[in-house]
Amino acid sequence: MSVITIERKVLEKNDEIASKNRGLFQEKGVFAVNLVSSPGSGKTSLLERTLEFLKGKARIAVVEGDVQTDLDSRRIEKYGVPVVQIVTNGSCHLEAKLVQDAIGRIDLNDVDILMIENVGNLVCPSGYDLGEAMKIVIVSTTEGDDKPLKYPAMFRNSSVLIINKIDLLPYVNCNLEDLKNNALQINPKLRIFETSCTTGLGIRDWSEWLLNKGSNS
Amino acid sequence: MHELSIASSIMGIVLESVPSNEEKHVKIVRVKVGELTAVVPESLEFCFEAITAGTPLEGAKLEIEHIGITGKCKECGGVFKVASLTFYCQYCNSPNIEIISGNELQVSEIETED
């Protein structure tokens, strides 16, 4: 009987490619963010509002990830920014290789901020490094206030929380303070923004923060 | 999570780590699974058994070491188990902690029969 020591990470191949992506972003001065949330939280709408606000102020490119269709990238195209659609055909999360292939189709020399919209899923994307500078998790008020406790890995691994659909608070069973406290319990360092893509509330604060991050990288 | 694709990656790592004439002698594969990875151990065992069936690794047992979440405080240096998903230092209540265990997903060692 012999024992062979291995000590290799199961996701090492993904991590290697993620490192390469990260290196490339750093070299080109691109601030890359990985937008994660449940399906329907408003990632694409938030992207649209952000692109509108930052038009002319920053050079932004978008990578869209979906199981099927290019519906999201077609929405983003209208804003005149480089956008690449990844269709996973079944995979419920993006992986570093898919992002590597996508960014190969963008001239990163002309990009300040890269926004990667992950597949709608609060579980699996948390484990797959894409090479981003940070994950931004979006929760909408219609999802209730307990989601940070139910999906701790995603909230722990994110740097920013955007609470979206804030205009619907009067109509839903969501206590905003409880939601924030639950999120901060999991990740006390979360930077929190409150937005409504319908009314435009909070879009300025969030976009200006992003712009600031983008110019500092 | 993706227990089947994780089982497949584990199998790939094991096959790369043993000479091909010793593949069928792999009896135990030890892996570390951290609590924060959201991998379900029973599901992983089942998928490993399914994916190795009919291969030289058929019959190899997957032994999973569950790793709990441990935090280390950057303020007071205290090391503690993170209980009830509360990520504050249990000594000084600082939020400035780093997670030193709980994110593992790795193949640690294999046992072969000569």
Side-chain angles (χ1 to χ4, degrees), chain A residues 76-89:
Chain A
I76 299 299
E77 264 165 18
K78 297 181 189 148
Y79 297 86
V81 300
V83 54
V84 176
Q85 176 78 56
I86 300 172
V87 174
T88 70
N89 284 314

Side-chain angles (χ1 to χ4, degrees), chain A residues 1-10 12-13 92-93 124 128 149 152-153 156 184-186 188-189, chain B residues 1-2 9 13 16-17 36 84-88 95-97 99 105-112 114:
Chain A
M1 190 267 288
S2 19
V3 173
I4 305 174
T5 302
I6 303 195
E7 299 296 359
R8 281 170 64 178
K9 290 184 178 176
V10 173
E12 61 185 7
K13 289 195 168 61
C92 50
H93 60 276
C124 313
Y128 290 87
L149 303 177
R156 184 73 204 167
L184 291 170
Q185 177 188 314
I186 299 295
K189 293 187 173 177
Chain B
M1 265 298 257
H2 308 90
S9 297
I13 289 172
E16 281 173 19
S17 306
L36 273 173
S84 317
L85 298 172
T86 306
F87 290 81
Y88 287 86
N96 207 6
I97 69 170
I99 297 304
L105 186 58
Q106 62 198 63
V107 180
S108 42
E109 61 183 28
I110 57 180
E111 212 173 278
T112 59
D114 301 318

Side-chain angles (χ1 to χ4, degrees), chain B residues 13-89:
Chain B
I13 289 172
V14 172
L15 291 174
E16 281 173 19
S17 306
V18 289
S20 50
N21 60 342
E22 283 185 48
E23 283 163 13
K24 63 181 187 315
H25 298 297
V26 174
K27 291 301 164 203
I28 301 176
V29 177
R30 293 194 175 94
V31 298
K32 290 181 181 158
V33 175
E35 198 182 314
L36 273 173
T37 62
V39 171
V40 180
E42 296 78 8
S43 199
L44 185 56
E45 282 167 6
F46 172 80
C47 290
F48 186 76
E49 200 183 313
I51 211 159
T52 52
T55 75
L57 291 188
E58 180 172 350
K61 187 173 175 301
L62 193 67
E63 264 182 22
I64 300 175
E65 182 187 349
H66 306 235
I67 313 264
I69 310 172
T70 307
K72 180 172 177 175
C73 181
K74 290 186 183 178
E75 303 287 344
C76 73
V79 176
F80 52 93
K81 258 200 321 199
V82 172
S84 317
L85 298 172
T86 306
F87 290 81
Y88 287 86
C89 175

Side-chain angles (χ1 to χ4, degrees), chain A:
Chain A
M1 190 267 288
S2 19
V3 173
I4 305 174
T5 302
I6 303 195
E7 299 296 359
R8 281 170 64 178
K9 290 184 178 176
V10 173
L11 297 180
E12 61 185 7
K13 289 195 168 61
N14 183 81
D15 289 351
E16 263 169 48
I17 299 175
S19 277
K20 289 192 177 140
N21 291 345
R22 185 166 281 115
L24 187 60
F25 295 142
Q26 278 165 0
E27 184 195 314
K28 304 282 180 183
V30 175
F31 182 65
V33 298
N34 180 358
L35 292 172
V36 292
S37 80
S38 298
S41 298
K43 292 187 291 302
T44 314
S45 296
L46 185 70
L47 270 178
E48 289 176 308
R49 298 289 84 75
T50 309
L51 288 172
E52 265 169 10
F53 190 91
L54 292 181
K55 191 181 171 75
K57 298 177 186 152
R59 301 170 304 170
I60 303 181
V62 175
V63 170
E64 281 288 349
D66 285 290
V67 177
Q68 287 294 348
T69 81
D70 62 355
L71 289 168
D72 283 355
S73 61
R74 288 209 252 152
R75 283 168 66 176
I76 299 299
E77 264 165 18
K78 297 181 189 148
Y79 297 86
V81 300
V83 54
V84 176
Q85 176 78 56
I86 300 172
V87 174
T88 70
N89 284 314
S91 180
C92 50
H93 60 276
L94 289 180
E95 299 194 10
K97 178 80 176 87
L98 292 170
V99 171
Q100 187 183 53
D101 293 343
I103 59 181
R105 292 157 61 187
I106 298 173
D107 186 353
L108 293 179
N109 293 308
D110 295 338
V111 177
D112 302 314
I113 300 171
L114 178 71
M115 304 189 76
I116 305 167
E117 185 186 329
N118 215 312
V119 177
N121 180 344
L122 267 185
V123 183
C124 313
S126 73
Y128 290 87
D129 185 8
L130 305 179
E132 72 272 17
M134 61 175 60
K135 283 187 182 55
I136 296 176
V137 59
I138 299 159
V139 164
S140 67
T141 56
T142 57
E143 296 166 62
D145 43 50
D146 58 0
K147 292 303 167 287
L149 303 177
K150 292 167 109 179
Y151 299 92
M154 189 64 93
F155 287 80
R156 184 73 204 167
N157 291 338
S158 297
S159 303
V160 172
L161 163 63
I162 299 178
I163 302 175
N164 196 29
K165 305 190 189 178
I166 211 85
D167 56 305
L168 295 183
L169 268 175
Y171 312 107
V172 295
N173 191 14
C174 175
N175 183 310
L176 188 61
E177 285 315 301
D178 283 353
L179 173 50
K180 290 197 233 182
N181 288 336
N182 287 338
L184 291 170
Q185 177 188 314
I186 299 295
N187 186 348
K189 293 187 173 177
L190 269 176
R191 177 85 166 82
I192 301 179
F193 294 98
E194 296 166 31
T195 59
S196 162
C197 296
T198 312
T199 66
L201 184 71
I203 297 295
R204 169 188 290 274
D205 281 352
W206 144 249
S207 300
E208 285 180 345
W209 179 90
L210 180 66
L211 178 65
N212 187 256
K213 281 289 190 188
S215 11
N216 288 337
S217 67

